[in-house]
Amino acid sequence: MKTIGLLGGMSWESSLEYYRLINQIVRERLGGLHSAKSILYSVEFAEIEAYQHQGEWDKAGEILIHAAQALERAGADCLLICTNTMHLLAPQVQAAIDIPLLHIADATAVAIKKAGLTHIGLLGTEFTMTMDFYKGRLIDQHGLHVLIPPDAPRQQVHRIIYDELCLGKILPDSKATYQAIIADLVTAGAEGVILGCTEIGLLIKEGDTAVPLFDTTYLHAATAVDFALGDSD
């Protein structure tokens, strides 16, 4: 079994889910007392969040590169950046290490195409929903048609992530808000919806909507287990 490097803390609420899911999937596949070999480097999210909203991505990148290199030195065989938004810096991080970075958008796209879908809604932070590093990758590299909410609903999605989900607040009103936004995406043509922030799966679950949901946290974790167990293509 290979060792999974987890670059987490963005937020630690979802990093907990990564750790739980990775170990749960390993146990499901191998049985008994099996668990994953993993190393976690958890950053200080307040620093990262400040750089995000100030547009100082290079400074945030310095933190992530330092953490990724530490994970590689500690013996990680692959790297997961345990957040969608910070994949904006995935190329810089990958260039600074010699182990593979397993991209969360690729893991998600594989599952969408396996389900036979082509038109997909995307929820996440404002950065993830509007910037090309994520949406553009789904379109250009995977041939998907990506739909995002209009401005006002996008701001609601973004606010709930930072003001509630990253703080562990799971509120019924916010769930209803997300369900209404997802319903509008479906009306606009979405055949399924990407939960493109690693905290959204804490709020919205399969069965809460009329279309399939693609939980990026789970899909990223499962891809890491595939790599660790030698089951990846």
Side-chain angles (χ1 to χ4, degrees):
M1 184 189 300
K2 294 177 182 176
T3 300
I4 300 168
L6 301 169
L7 206 175
M10 301 171 282
S11 68
W12 63 260
E13 295 284 346
S14 62
S15 298
L16 281 172
E17 282 296 290
Y18 267 94
Y19 186 74
R20 181 185 68 80
L21 287 167
I22 286 170
N23 284 287
Q24 178 179 303
I25 295 167
V26 167
R27 185 175 61 193
E28 288 171 354
R29 295 191 188 179
L30 300 182
L33 297 175
H34 285 287
S35 60
K37 294 171 65 176
S38 63
I39 306 167
L40 170 65
Y41 190 116
S42 188
V43 301
E44 214 284 71
F45 188 41
E47 295 177 352
I48 298 291
E49 184 272 339
Y51 289 142
Q52 287 176 342
H53 287 94
Q54 293 162 9
E56 298 190 76
W57 296 100
D58 288 345
K59 291 183 179 179
E62 291 173 4
I63 296 173
L64 265 60
I65 287 169
H66 173 79
Q69 291 173 334
L71 285 164
E72 183 175 19
R73 288 194 302 271
D77 294 304
C78 69
L79 177 70
L80 271 65
I81 300 177
C82 300
T83 162
N84 287 271
T85 296
M86 297 311 290
H87 278 73
L88 184 150
L89 298 167
Q92 295 93 314
V93 174
Q94 179 64 89
I97 57 176
D98 293 321
I99 57 175
L101 184 157
L102 307 183
H103 201 290
I104 195 167
D106 295 340
T108 304
V110 167
I112 293 167
K113 290 189 287 188
K114 186 176 180 180
L117 308 185
T118 57
H119 290 67
I120 195 78
L122 172 62
L123 299 182
T125 66
E126 179 76 9
F127 313 112
T128 298
M129 288 187 285
T130 60
M131 298 173 75
D132 279 343
F133 75 93
Y134 196 94
K135 182 177 62 173
R137 190 180 185 97
L138 295 174
I139 295 168
D140 297 337
Q141 296 192 25
H142 298 284
L144 297 173
H145 299 273
V146 181
L147 296 84
I148 62 173
D151 182 65
R154 281 204 316 271
Q155 294 304 317
Q156 289 180 300
V157 171
H158 183 90
R159 181 196 63 76
I160 289 168
I161 290 168
Y162 281 94
D163 293 351
E164 298 175 19
L165 301 182
C166 287
L167 298 174
K169 298 177 182 178
I170 311 300
L171 305 180
D173 286 349
S174 295
K175 180 174 183 175
T177 296
Y178 269 51
Q179 287 174 307
I181 292 170
I182 289 171
D184 287 342
L185 287 172
V186 173
T187 299
E191 301 166 309
V193 173
I194 298 169
L195 305 184
C197 171
T198 52
E199 285 83 20
I200 295 178
L202 301 173
L203 181 67
I204 297 291
K205 308 290 185 182
E206 196 68 50
D208 288 338
T209 64
V211 295
L213 299 175
F214 295 88
D215 184 345
T216 54
T217 307
Y218 177 84
L219 295 170
H220 206 197
T223 297
V225 174
D226 288 342
F227 179 91
L229 299 183
D231 295 334
S232 55
D233 293 335

